[in-house]
Amino acid sequence: MSSEQNNQPRQILVTSALPYANGSIHIGHMLEHIQTDIWTRFQKLRGHQCISVCADDTHGTPIMLRAQKEGVTPEDFIAATREEHLKDFEDFLVEYDNYHSTHSEENRELSELIYNRLNDAGHIAKRTISQLFDPEKEMFLPDRFVKGECPKCGSEDQYGDNCDNCGATYSPTELKNPKSAVSGATPINKDSEHYFFKLTNFESMLKTWTRDGHVQEQIANKLDEWFEAGLQEWDISRDAPYFGFEIPGAPGKYFYVWVDAPIGYMASFKNLCDKRDDLNFDDYWNADSAAEVHHFIGKDIVYFHTLFWPAMLHGSGFRKPTKVHAHGFLTVNGTKMSKSKGTFVKARTYLNHLDPEYLRYYFMAKLTSKVDDFDLNLEDFVARINSDLVNKYINIASRVASFIGKKFDGRLADDVADHPLIKEAQGAAETIAEFYENKQYGRAIREIMSIADKANKYVDSEEPWVKIKDETTAPQVQVVSTVCLNVFKILTIYLKPAIPAMAEKVEAFLNVEPLQWSDISEVLQGRTVNKFKPMVQRIDPKKLEAMIEEGKEEAAAASAPQLADPLKEEIEFSDFDKIDLRVVKIVKAEHVEGAEKLLKLQLDLDGVTKQVFAGIKSAYAPEDLQGKLTVMVANLKPRKMRFGVSEGMVLAAGPGGKDLWILNPDEGAQPGMRVK
RNA sequence: GAUAAUGUAGCUCAAUCGGGUAGAGCAACUGACUCAUAAUCAGUGGGUUGUCGGUUCGAUUCCGACCAUAAUCACCA
């Protein structure tokens, strides 16, 4: 292709928004990550140096509390989530060059660097503000962690920022009977010094930047509203306890998660540069960099990416994004994803039932460069995949492959390079490339499918099934088939960014190296192809139903009341029956020399005495126990301990320390009785 | 409540940047064909472009009001 050979290879860095480490990836996330991946694969196919990076966004109060609740460190919690996220993306054929974490050394260094530069340049302010504070947990409460009665309509159990019932909005300090959602305590007002980023210093820069082709028109309009409303200073600090990075020179103050989240793009790239010789961080991020930086984001986080982020970069001497690509939300059958309808589909749930390339193709087929919401209509989804992919595209190969295979030994004809249909398919390359480049994926598909239509018409008009029966016309069939397979190859290149795995199967069938965009002009002739095997199956609507059904079940399970300490795996009665629980009388209790936690108990089971070492010293004095009845596991295998043999366990409840309570049978129970 | 959006055939979407007799794919129907994962090809039907009003020789496209939908904001930004 002449025109792109004139183009210099570009250096392009691409990012998707960093998924928050507090939950699973769902198909809404996939809308973004798939369109990013398609764009990235397209650029790579064209021969550019295109690097895509992502990471988990790991900081903030919700993560901290979630980890506490699950009894693990935040570090362990986010590490596990990252594994899950990465696996989901990989299985959807989303190929990041690097998938990092915002909780990384690179990110800490870059966050500090950017902050220090902003601070030195006078872009940071400090002032004291008053916020609700949980006196029990000793932490400041974000709005969402305060609940109470709506000051307007009096509805109970409303969040700190607005009322679900009457729609009123207010500040959390206005709530009646406010309660901390963390501890249940009544919050108090407390002063604290906060750090602010003076966004207003960048107003004129931003006004120019946002009208300079870096954002979509719809976004630029939205930004005008925000400019008109007036920019505000941005509160970038949070007080300890907070899971994040401490602000340099400000002990006990942490960067608000949204400060280090976008810096995570740079950190992930930095991490990659350190692993690769051919990448230089400064080439991409210096203020005068000629490389491109493209961010793909949802419309909900436009503010952060088009105001704060460019301002932070500008103020700290880095380059600004080339383009911020915002997309709308994913709806299913025209409405918001709903857990109860089963349309809130997790990435994993989808993968349990359907081929990822179905969804990749469907997204491709309907995406535009606009910020409008994207509707996944399930009926349309089935129709679109089956008709476009199977009936039109793959069908071209499927219907001529048998001629080539059976009648011509798998050998293609010679001299088809000038065939008008091949020329036409090749001629669409630049138009399609432009659609890709501008994210008009839907238009690209329309263009591609119209070529597929022409190929199918061509086969019909040539009637190879008739010609093959006549010796004089039979050789023409080899030409017709070769033309079709060449068009098929070209279509495969056009579609490859969306359906890479299918393309790989096509490459195996055509007996060619991995196809590149430049292969569009290479014509396959006078060579052999392999036996045709179908590259994709029709969608079975039953599988789609099964997926929705599983989504419903998940939702039902999730909405059931959850125990903070989840139940162990279910057991059979026979498992329970193995445990012999007995009522016992504590005849003697004494301290154990040298033991920190243990008491030595003599337990009477109606004549038989058992000796048990119990870790309840922190909660009970020996004299309080003597003469009491309690319950023990009597058939536990005796265990030799440092201080002697323990012949069972007494049952106690509680988290430990002083909070430990042994069980007491009700009045009338006698030592030795079986508990069942 | 405020703001900017969106509302086009049964379904999903198009309609050149500041107006000139509404297009495509799928579905439906009719016919052809049998090479192909019952696919494909030819053809037909189907829209007073959310409603009402205005500007204009003429509006899906401009203006106003209303209705519907989802979104953003109302110091999280």
Side-chain angles (χ1 to χ4, degrees):
Chain A
M1 296 285 92
S2 56
S3 62
E4 93 244 12
Q5 272 164 5
N6 299 335
N7 292 342
Q8 294 295 316
R10 294 149 59 188
Q11 291 190 306
I12 310 170
L13 175 62
V14 183
T15 72
S16 295
L18 313 186
Y20 202 48
N22 190 25
S24 296
I25 301 298
H26 53 71
I27 51 174
H29 289 105
M30 292 321 305
L31 175 63
E32 172 168 313
H33 292 263
I34 285 174
Q35 71 177 283
T36 307
D37 189 60
I38 289 174
W39 202 78
T40 303
R41 284 179 186 268
F42 164 71
Q43 301 296 356
K44 287 180 174 171
L45 199 64
R46 298 265 282 176
H48 299 302
Q49 183 186 62
C50 184
I51 307 295
S52 66
V53 299
C54 196
D56 261 13
D57 179 17
T58 59
H59 291 152
T61 309
I63 302 265
M64 179 179 78
L65 295 175
R66 176 80 185 271
Q68 271 176 22
K69 194 175 159 193
E70 307 214 347
V72 296
T73 63
E75 285 82 358
D76 286 345
F77 177 75
I78 61 173
T81 309
R82 182 177 165 280
E83 288 305 308
E84 181 197 313
H85 287 182
L86 187 54
K87 187 80 172 54
D88 286 345
F89 290 136
E90 282 173 353
D91 289 349
F92 261 103
L93 308 175
V94 171
E95 218 173 50
Y96 285 111
D97 291 283
N98 200 32
Y99 196 91
H100 205 41
S101 165
T102 59
H103 195 64
S104 64
E105 268 320 298
E106 294 90 349
N107 202 33
R108 182 193 300 276
E109 283 165 22
L110 283 164
S111 297
E112 290 180 357
L113 176 69
I114 287 173
Y115 170 81
N116 283 331
R117 286 184 182 176
L118 293 174
N119 193 27
D120 291 346
H123 297 309
I124 303 295
K126 296 175 203 173
R127 65 171 181 271
T128 298
I129 62 167
S130 181
Q131 271 187 307
L132 288 182
F133 183 81
D134 183 328
E136 219 165 89
K137 271 273 181 179
E138 297 195 320
M139 60 179 285
F140 285 94
L141 294 166
D143 291 357
R144 293 202 188 139
F145 288 94
V146 184
K147 285 190 157 188
E149 292 165 28
C150 170
K152 275 207 177 137
C153 73
S155 292
E156 287 181 23
D157 214 27
Q158 295 301 324
Y159 286 107
D161 44 5
N162 63 55
C163 174
D164 272 345
N165 186 45
C166 71
T169 57
Y170 38 78
S171 98
T173 51
E174 293 174 59
L175 275 180
K176 288 181 193 164
N177 294 322
K179 291 271 184 286
S180 162
V182 183
S183 69
T186 301
I188 56 171
N189 272 303
K190 192 173 171 181
D191 285 351
S192 168
E193 185 174 56
H194 273 237
Y195 289 57
F196 291 82
F197 174 51
K198 295 199 228 171
L199 183 65
T200 40
N201 290 2
F202 299 90
E203 182 164 347
S204 66
M205 180 281 287
L206 288 170
K207 277 183 171 164
T208 311
W209 184 79
T210 54
R211 281 291 175 192
D212 220 16
H214 302 290
V215 302
Q216 294 126 297
E217 197 188 332
Q218 289 171 80
I219 298 299
N221 291 339
K222 190 73 192 171
L223 285 162
D224 277 347
E225 280 179 46
W226 283 328
F227 286 132
E228 213 163 301
L231 299 181
Q232 305 286 325
E233 293 190 344
W234 181 32
D235 185 351
I236 57 163
S237 71
R238 294 295 184 269
D239 288 285
Y242 194 78
F243 182 55
F245 296 140
E246 208 164 40
I247 297 177
K253 305 285 179 193
Y254 288 78
F255 287 123
Y256 175 44
V257 55
W258 262 110
V259 174
D260 65 69
I263 298 173
Y265 298 139
M266 297 169 89
S268 184
F269 182 65
K270 177 98 187 343
N271 178 259
L272 180 66
C273 289
D274 293 342
K275 291 188 278 197
R276 277 172 56 159
D277 293 335
D278 60 333
L279 285 178
N280 184 298
F281 182 82
D282 295 335
D283 287 352
Y284 277 79
W285 285 102
N286 271 354
D288 59 355
S289 167
E292 303 171 32
V293 172
H294 294 259
H295 298 303
F296 286 74
I297 61 165
K299 65 183 180 183
D300 52 328
I301 54 176
V302 163
Y303 206 108
F304 296 98
H305 284 82
T306 57
L307 296 177
F308 294 144
W309 180 229
M312 281 164 66
L313 289 168
H314 189 80
S316 57
F318 288 106
R319 56 87 44 80
K320 293 186 283 293
T322 308
K323 213 157 183 196
V324 175
H325 307 265
H327 60 81
F329 296 148
L330 181 76
T331 57
V332 180
N333 289 341
T335 55
K336 236 193 280 191
M337 293 196 292
S338 144
K339 289 188 174 171
S340 59
K341 284 183 194 157
T343 54
F344 192 97
V345 181
K346 287 183 182 175
R348 186 51 52 188
T349 311
Y350 175 96
L351 290 166
N352 286 342
H353 300 274
L354 296 164
D355 185 332
E357 291 194 310
Y358 296 153
L359 192 64
R360 291 179 64 102
Y361 180 80
Y362 189 72
F363 284 163
M364 169 99 191
K366 280 178 67 174
L367 269 167
T368 70
S369 58
K370 302 223 185 108
V371 193
D372 302 343
D373 288 351
F374 183 102
D375 187 43
L376 167 58
N377 180 288
L378 296 173
E379 268 180 50
D380 185 51
F381 175 66
V382 174
R384 199 74 195 239
I385 300 304
N386 291 348
S387 122
D388 282 10
L389 245 29
V390 183
N391 299 354
K392 287 183 179 178
Y393 161 61
I394 298 290
N395 186 231
I396 297 168
S398 175
R399 65 192 306 195
V400 300
S402 60
F403 294 125
I404 288 289
K406 287 178 197 157
K407 309 286 181 182
F408 301 98
D409 246 0
R411 190 171 178 81
L412 301 178
D414 295 297
D415 297 326
V416 297
D418 290 327
H419 193 280
L421 193 58
I422 295 179
K423 288 284 177 204
E424 191 179 349
Q426 290 171 330
E430 280 315 297
T431 308
I432 291 168
E434 204 168 311
F435 287 149
Y436 262 113
E437 181 70 39
N438 298 328
K439 276 185 26 192
Q440 294 169 300
Y441 295 169
R443 287 189 159 197
I445 289 294
R446 241 174 294 149
E447 193 72 25
I448 294 166
M449 281 308 140
S450 80
I451 299 171
D453 285 341
K454 281 172 189 156
N456 276 312
K457 288 187 215 299
Y458 169 71
V459 179
D460 263 68
S461 66
E462 292 292 333
E463 299 185 311
W465 56 93
V466 176
K467 286 177 175 165
I468 199 72
K469 287 171 186 158
D470 183 335
E471 262 181 45
T472 57
T473 52
Q476 294 177 34
V477 174
Q478 189 182 23
V479 173
V480 171
S481 302
T482 303
V483 168
C484 283
L485 290 181
N486 270 285
V487 172
F488 180 63
K489 184 206 73 176
I490 294 167
L491 292 174
T492 302
I493 296 172
Y494 292 152
L495 291 170
K496 195 175 175 182
I499 49 172
M502 239 180 272
E504 226 172 274
K505 290 181 193 164
V506 172
E507 287 156 1
F509 161 61
L510 292 176
N511 198 14
V512 295
E513 293 297 299
L515 292 164
Q516 298 297 314
W517 196 266
S518 54
D519 291 319
I520 290 167
S521 54
E522 301 293 320
V523 177
L524 297 178
Q525 48 191 356
R527 49 184 292 161
T528 56
V529 298
N530 292 314
K531 191 172 186 312
F532 176 84
K533 282 180 239 159
M535 288 99 188
V536 58
Q537 296 305 316
R538 288 200 169 67
I539 299 186
D540 181 354
K542 283 197 184 113
K543 290 190 177 170
L544 202 57
E545 284 165 26
M547 178 187 82
I548 296 296
E549 205 42 51
E550 190 184 328
K552 280 184 192 166
E553 283 165 19
E554 275 172 12
S559 65
Q562 291 278 316
L563 291 173
D565 182 7
L567 295 179
K568 289 185 185 174
E569 198 184 336
E570 234 172 44
I571 60 168
E572 297 297 330
F573 174 79
S574 60
D575 295 324
F576 164 74
D577 196 46
K578 288 178 185 164
I579 303 169
D580 201 337
L581 298 169
R582 297 296 177 115
V583 175
V584 292
K585 185 171 191 173
I586 303 173
V587 291
K588 196 171 167 192
E590 55 192 335
H591 286 294
V592 182
E593 183 107 8
E596 277 176 37
K597 297 176 184 171
L598 298 178
L599 291 181
K600 183 176 169 185
L601 307 178
Q602 298 257 354
L603 305 172
D604 173 47
L605 292 83
D606 193 26
V608 177
T609 305
K610 292 235 179 200
Q611 167 175 290
V612 168
F613 290 92
I616 54 174
K617 180 177 170 181
S618 54
Y620 289 94
E623 52 272 26
D624 296 339
L625 290 170
Q626 293 201 28
K628 274 192 178 167
L629 293 181
T630 188
V631 177
M632 78 173 293
V633 183
N635 62 337
L636 193 65
K637 192 173 179 180
R639 184 180 173 83
K640 200 173 166 194
M641 302 177 73
R642 198 172 127 201
F643 310 102
V645 176
S646 185
E647 303 172 301
M649 289 184 82
V650 293
L651 303 183
K658 283 189 173 177
D659 296 332
L660 210 54
W661 297 276
I662 62 166
L663 301 190
N664 279 136
D666 206 349
E667 193 84 16
Q670 295 298 318
M673 281 180 174
R674 191 189 287 271
V675 179
K676 54 188 179 184

